[in-house]
Each structure stands twice: as C-alpha cells, then as structure tokens.
C-alpha cells in the first residue's frame, strides 16, 4: 500500500469519529425505521402513531423498508458528510496540514487517498446497514420478505452507496474553508436543499435528492425517475473530488 | 552548494509587506540561526523556503532545484517543524512516527528501524505506545521534532524548535542538531533564545520588519546587546534614511 493510503487508513482506523459514525449509521436508521413501523402498526390515535402511519408506505416489510429509505437518504448524507468534513477539516483545524507540505508524499495524493478510502468506508457502511436492517426485520418478527420487498432492499442498497458519494463534495467545503465548521455548514445546506428540491418537485433532477426519490418510487407517491439519472450522483461526487484534490495540490498554507 | 538558497525574496499579505528582498543561504554542515522579534518574518520566510506559500518576488532553491520544481527525491532530504508538530492525537507516538517516516519516503523495510532509532534519540521510549492526545505540550514537541528527523534529512528547517521543551529537551535537541550538522546536514532554525543560538549556531542572521538587517557573530561577547543595536539601527534607518546615510559616512 502506498504511503498516502497506508497513513490515511491508519488514521481512519484509529478515529473515534469514524467508529461512532459507523455504529450510528449501521444501527440507528434500522432501529428508527423499526420503531416507526411498530408505532404505525399499533394503530393508536396519538400523534406519534398517526405520524408514523402517515409517513410509512405500508405495513410489514414494505413499511419498514420504505421508512428506512427515507431515513437513510438523510442519515447517510449527514453521517458520511460529518466524517468527510472531519477527515479534511481536522487537518486545518489541528494545523497538521502544515506538516503535509514539503514532503516526499504530495498533498494531492493524500487528498486522493482520503477520498478513495472514505468512499470505500461509506459503501461498506451503507451495505452493512442494509444487511443489519434485514436481520433486525427478521429478528423482530416481520417474517420472510416477498419479491417486492427484496426489490426495495436492492434499491435501498443502491441508495446507501450513493448517499455516501453525495457527501464527498463536503471535502471541498472543509478544505477551502479550512476547518470543520465550513464543512458542517456546507453539509446542512446540502441536506436542506435536498428536502426543498423534493418538496418543490425537483427531486428527480437535484443530484442530492435523486437517489431518495428513485429509491422511494411511485409507491411512496414520488415521481418516476429513470435509473440513468442516478449517474448525476457520481458526477457531482467526481466534481467535488477533483475540486478537492486540485485545492490540496495548489493551496498555500493559510 | 547551498542546501537552501533564497534570493531576492519578497512577499506581502494583502497590502502588508512581510518579506523584503531577502537573501539567505544555508550550507551543508552548518546551523544558520534566524533571529528577530515576533512578526519579523521568520516563519513566513521559512514557509516560503519550503514551498508552503508562493512569494511575490525572488527565488528559492533546495539542493540547487527551484522549490516549485522539487520532487520526492528533493523532499526526502528535507525535514521541518513549522507551526504545529506533526502529531495526530488519535495515534500513538510510535504510529505518528511511522506515519511521518512513510510520508517522508523511508522505504517500508527500513521504517521500523528508523522509528526505533528516533524514539531512542528523543528519549520517547516510555511514551511510545501512548496516544499522542495524552502527551504534554513538551512531549508533543519532541514527537514533532522526531517526525522531522526520522528520515535523516540533509536539510532541517525548524521554527522555534525549543518551544515547550523542558531544559533536558533543549539539551537533547542541541545534541541532535550538532550531530546532524557534523554528519553534513544543513539546518535553518529560528529562535528567540539568543543564549541557545549562541551555543549552537555557526551563523546568525537578524531579520526585522521583513528584511535581513545584518549578521551577528554567534561567539561575540554580548549577543543580546548586539541584536538590539542592530534592530534599533534598522528602525532609525527606516525612519530617517538620510540621517543614517550621514552617520555611516561619518563612521
């Protein structure tokens, strides 16, 4: 493994931020979705039960996975975005970036290694979250999922992977803004804009909404989104990555 | 050939000039000390020398290579501690030094031995397995110095290297620097501690208000008095160039 990858992998392995984010992304969305389903199936007339019933597209696996799609669309972007923002922003906030200058390992190679490793981590976490969600559903008595539920699970897996990619441009905000706060600010803007785009009917075009709208599908009242439009996601991820790497190559010490 | 050569360096932040026509060289086998007040331009000069910022004027060469063209083969020969030590709090001391060695281009088969060696040199063995987040400021500085030295660089650029070090750390660093230059390395260090400079430096350059205002004899009788005299003369010259010219002519 090249020095940049080896060092960045070590930093990610030792990071408590990454550990907490991993646990949160793998466990919390599934637990929340299961809790929502339990509330919806209870059929009570209290606000929480009514809200859960209104949000979920059905009961059983359909409601559970449909709820999980909605939750992970935001949680994935937020959770991965926080780690991406930390990974880049900490170098500026802690001033360790200065030590990365005047080194035999170019800074753009370090930035590339961070982005590749974060993408791999986000993909692994997303797929693990789907697997854990499936096991939780089985363990809590949802029975055997049917073919339609398995198709939803497949779409959920794609969404989980794409949500991680959508967080990569946060690296550019952390780098140009030289710290955590610009990353957090940029991340919140992305989350809010994704919600606004979906509400405004532009969710089928706005890259940070497309995977969720596609994954929820017409069954949840969303417009039909051609699968090809998912290519918007790697496009914005690549644009963010290229911008970040270029910044790391050319930026002076601040 | 100078390990580091700076010619006509000029830089400014917005409209504020911070370096003015600076010339400086560091030869192999010498410690060149840079002294000046806070804000005199020492750190900016070191950053420009290491390609961390692009100066508005002048040129920097490392081992004869223009700093903008320096590749891994050049940077492998450079060690530095500027601003903040290379210390990631989530890593242990040994892991930090392993990371520094790898990033500085030490072949993987030699990394372990290089890390062991520098841990012994900086007397970090009792803390080698501790997370850096638990270290005192002084020990973080030791780790930063070890990171700058782990790859046996031929040029050391150290900005205030004695920061936060206790007296034993200062003595340790002094010995390491002297050993390094005896082995042919070049060292540029900045410092406020004139007595320390007098002990180790071969050359002492005074920087004031972004300009080199002269050199001092590190073995002179009263380095502090000579330093202040030089700085005050520079201030007088800046306020009244004509008067200074007259004084010089009279001398």
């Amino acid at each position: 493994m090249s020095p940049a990858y080896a060092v960045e992998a070590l930093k990610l392995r030792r990071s408590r931020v990454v550990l907490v984010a991993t646990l949160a992304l793998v466990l919390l969305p599934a637990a929340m979705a299961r809790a929502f389903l339990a509330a919806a199936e209870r059929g009570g007339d209290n606000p929480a039960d009514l809200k859960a019933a209104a949000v979920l597209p059905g009961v059983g696996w359909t409601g559970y996975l449909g709820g999980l799609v909605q939750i992970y669309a935001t949680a994935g972007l937020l959770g991965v975005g926080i780690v991406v923002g930390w990974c880049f922003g900490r170098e500026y906030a802690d001033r360790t970036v200065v030590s990365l200058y005047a080194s035999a390992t170019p800074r753009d190679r370090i930035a590339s290694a961070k982005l590749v490793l974060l993408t791999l981590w986000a993909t692994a976490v997303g797929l693990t979250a789907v697997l854990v969600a499936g096991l939780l559903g089985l363990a809590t008595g949802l029975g055997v999922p049917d073919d339609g539920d398995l198709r939803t699970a497949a779409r959920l897996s794609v969404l989980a992977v794409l949500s991680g990619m959508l967080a990569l441009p946060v690296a550019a905000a952390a780098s140009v803004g030289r710290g955590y706060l610009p990353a957090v600010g940029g991340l919140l803007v992305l989350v809010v804009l994704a919600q606004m785009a979906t509400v405004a009917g532009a969710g089928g075009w706005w890259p940070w909404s497309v995977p969720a709208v596609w994954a929820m599908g017409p069954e949840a009242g969303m417009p039909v989104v051609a699968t090809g439009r998912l290519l918007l996601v790697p496009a914005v991820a690549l644009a963010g990555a290229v911008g970040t790497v270029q910044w790391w190559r050319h930026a002076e010490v601040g | 050939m100078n390990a580091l050569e700076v010619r006509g360096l000029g830089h400014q932040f917005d409209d504020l000039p911070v370096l003015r026509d600076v010339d400086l060289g560091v030869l192999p086998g010498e410690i060149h000390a840079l002294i000046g007040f806070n804000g005199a331009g020492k750190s900016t000069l070191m950053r420009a020398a290491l390609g961390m910022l692009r100066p508005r004027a002048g040129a920097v060469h490392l081992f004869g290579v223009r700093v903008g063209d320096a590749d891994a083969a050049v940077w492998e020969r450079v060690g530095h501690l500027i601003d903040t030590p290379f210390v990631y709090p989530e890593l242990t001391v040994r892991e930090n030094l392993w990371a520094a060695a790898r990033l500085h281009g030490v072949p993987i088969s030699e990394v372990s031995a290089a890390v062991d060696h520098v841990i012994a040199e900086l007397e970090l063995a009792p803390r080698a397995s501790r997370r850096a987040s638990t270290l005192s400021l002084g020990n973080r500085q030791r780790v930063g110095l070890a990171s700058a030295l782990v790859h046996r660089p031929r040029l050391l650029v150290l900005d205030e290297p004695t920061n936060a070090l206790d007296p034993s750390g200062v003595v340790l660093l002094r010995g390491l620097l002297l050993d390094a230059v005896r082995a042919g390395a070049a060292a540029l260090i900045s410092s406020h501690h004139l007595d320390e400079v007098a002990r180790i430096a071969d050359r002492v350059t005074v920087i004031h208000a972004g300009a080199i205002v002269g050199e001092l004899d590190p073995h002179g009788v009263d380095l502090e008095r000579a330093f202040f005299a030089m700085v005050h003369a520079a201030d007088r010259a800046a306020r009244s160039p004509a008067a200074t010219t007259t004084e010089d002519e009279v001398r």
Side-chain angles (χ1 to χ4, degrees):
Chain A
M1 194 184 287
S2 76
Y5 279 89
V7 171
E8 290 306 319
L10 174 66
K11 284 152 65 178
L12 290 177
R13 279 206 312 275
R14 294 285 184 267
S15 163
R16 287 192 181 142
V17 175
V18 175
L19 176 64
V20 171
T22 301
L23 292 174
L25 284 171
V26 166
L27 300 176
L28 292 184
M32 277 179 68
R34 189 63 187 89
F36 267 62
L37 180 65
E41 289 183 336
R42 212 161 34 230
D45 58 1
N46 63 71
D49 290 3
L50 293 172
K51 173 81 174 172
V55 166
L56 300 185
V59 294
W61 279 102
T62 303
Y64 175 54
L65 293 176
L68 190 52
V69 165
Q70 295 175 51
I71 292 167
Y72 205 91
T74 300
L77 177 57
L78 265 177
V80 176
I82 286 170
V83 172
V84 171
W86 170 81
C87 185
F88 283 85
R90 65 86 53 95
E91 304 283 7
Y92 293 93
D94 298 346
R95 303 291 295 163
T96 44
V97 70
V98 179
S99 299
L100 302 178
Y101 283 74
S103 167
T105 305
R107 292 179 309 287
D108 54 354
R109 223 173 277 169
I110 292 172
S112 299
K114 284 178 186 286
L115 290 163
V116 169
L117 291 171
L118 286 168
T119 304
L120 293 174
W121 167 79
T123 300
V125 166
L127 295 177
T128 305
V130 176
L131 183 64
V132 167
L135 294 173
L136 181 66
L138 290 172
T140 54
L142 294 184
V144 180
D146 62 23
D147 286 350
D149 298 326
L150 291 177
R151 279 195 295 277
T152 304
R155 288 206 303 268
L156 174 61
S157 302
V158 174
L159 167 75
V161 171
L162 295 181
S163 294
M165 295 175 75
L166 285 171
L168 289 187
V170 171
S175 302
V176 176
R178 298 176 186 271
Y180 310 107
L181 284 181
V184 172
L187 184 58
L188 291 178
V189 167
L190 288 179
V191 170
V192 170
L193 287 179
Q195 302 293 325
M196 287 171 62
T198 304
V199 171
W205 289 100
W206 179 243
W208 284 270
S209 306
V210 165
V213 173
W214 171 83
M216 283 191 262
E219 310 88 69
M222 290 293 159
V224 175
V225 174
T227 304
R229 222 177 287 168
L230 294 176
L231 290 174
L232 283 168
V233 175
V236 295
L238 189 62
V242 169
T244 303
V245 170
Q246 288 303 315
W247 172 267
W248 275 61
R249 179 176 295 161
H250 296 293
E252 299 179 8
V253 165
Chain B
M1 182 179 65
N2 280 326
L4 168 64
E5 186 165 337
V6 171
R7 287 288 168 257
L9 207 64
H11 194 62
Q12 58 189 55
F13 293 131
D14 297 324
D15 293 334
L16 179 69
V18 288
L19 291 177
R20 293 179 292 160
D21 198 22
V22 171
D23 293 333
L24 189 86
V26 187
L27 286 165
E30 77 168 4
I31 296 178
H32 191 148
L34 197 57
I35 62 173
F37 294 139
N38 290 333
K42 303 187 296 294
S43 298
T44 306
L45 171 55
M46 289 180 151
R47 289 176 178 189
L50 292 170
M52 295 177 179
L53 56 82
R54 286 182 287 279
R56 304 288 171 85
V60 175
H61 287 83
L62 298 165
F63 304 105
V65 178
R66 204 176 65 84
V67 69
D69 298 330
D71 58 10
V74 171
W75 291 123
E76 279 173 8
R77 291 186 277 167
V78 178
H80 65 87
L81 198 172
I82 308 285
D83 197 335
T84 306
F86 179 92
V87 177
Y88 289 93
E90 69 271 26
L91 304 184
T92 65
V93 168
R94 180 177 293 281
E95 287 170 339
N96 269 293
L97 297 175
W98 177 88
R102 297 239 33 208
L103 293 178
H104 283 308
V106 176
I108 194 160
S109 59
E110 299 170 21
V111 167
S112 185
V115 169
D116 286 343
H117 186 76
V118 82
I119 282 176
E121 279 188 329
L122 270 297
E123 297 180 358
L124 287 164
R127 301 166 190 85
S129 300
R130 277 174 53 181
R131 274 183 183 249
S133 58
T134 66
L135 297 179
S136 66
L137 270 181
N139 282 323
R140 287 166 73 94
Q141 183 75 356
R142 283 195 193 205
V143 176
L145 290 166
S147 299
L149 291 162
V150 68
H151 55 301
R152 305 269 145 213
R154 308 308 295 161
L155 169 65
L156 275 163
V157 180
L158 305 174
D159 190 9
E160 304 286 354
T162 55
N163 268 357
L165 292 182
D166 60 17
S168 69
V170 172
V171 171
L172 199 61
L173 173 63
R174 189 188 304 156
L176 289 174
L177 282 176
L178 291 172
D179 287 348
V181 295
R182 273 190 213 111
L188 176 66
I189 61 169
S190 74
S191 183
H192 295 300
H193 300 291
L194 301 183
D195 54 341
E196 186 57 32
V197 163
R199 287 174 193 269
I200 61 170
D202 299 293
R203 295 167 67 190
V204 178
T205 293
V206 179
I207 185 169
H208 183 60
I212 302 295
V213 296
E215 285 201 17
L216 296 174
D217 177 5
H219 310 299
V221 177
D222 190 340
L223 196 61
E224 187 176 85
R225 183 185 292 271
F227 167 72
F228 277 107
M230 188 172 280
V231 166
H232 291 152
D235 281 338
R236 282 197 301 277
R239 281 197 300 270
S240 174
T244 307
T245 304
T246 307
E247 283 176 18
D248 290 343
E249 285 167 355
V250 169
R251 280 190 202 124

